[in-house]
Amino acid sequence: MPKGPQGQKRPADVVANAVRVMQIATGQIEEETPASQGKAYAQKGGLKGGRARAKSLTAEQRAEIARVAAEARWKKSGR
């Protein structure tokens, strides 16, 4: 069975997927996605995302990212 981006199970064929969507829409079954977990789930990833990325980058990579961002800001201001 195929898996979605967050690892949830999905039906392999179009008809089974349509039936599942109809069941969710009519309330026969509850949707099993991280979206149903709300803000707490989203915040959990957001709190550690930037720090984890910064740790994995080298000083040169961080400098290059900053340089590109600064150029974009200057280009946007029209100077």
Side-chain angles (χ1 to χ4, degrees):
M1 181 169 279
K3 299 216 182 238
Q6 283 84 29
Q8 70 270 31
K9 294 181 180 177
R10 291 185 175 173
D13 62 301
V14 177
V15 175
N17 195 28
V19 170
R20 182 162 176 80
V21 169
M22 184 270 314
Q23 289 173 336
I24 292 170
T26 58
Q28 293 176 358
I29 61 172
E30 191 172 325
E31 193 171 11
E32 306 161 354
T33 63
S36 63
Q37 296 172 359
K39 281 180 143 180
Y41 182 82
Q43 189 177 20
K44 187 172 127 181
L47 290 175
K48 62 182 175 181
R51 287 190 193 120
R53 180 165 187 245
K55 276 186 179 180
S56 69
L57 294 173
T58 65
E60 293 83 20
Q61 290 172 322
R62 285 194 306 274
E64 179 61 26
I65 291 169
R67 190 176 302 106
V68 170
E71 287 174 9
R73 284 193 304 271
W74 279 101
K75 192 180 291 187
K76 192 176 189 180
S77 69
R79 291 183 181 176

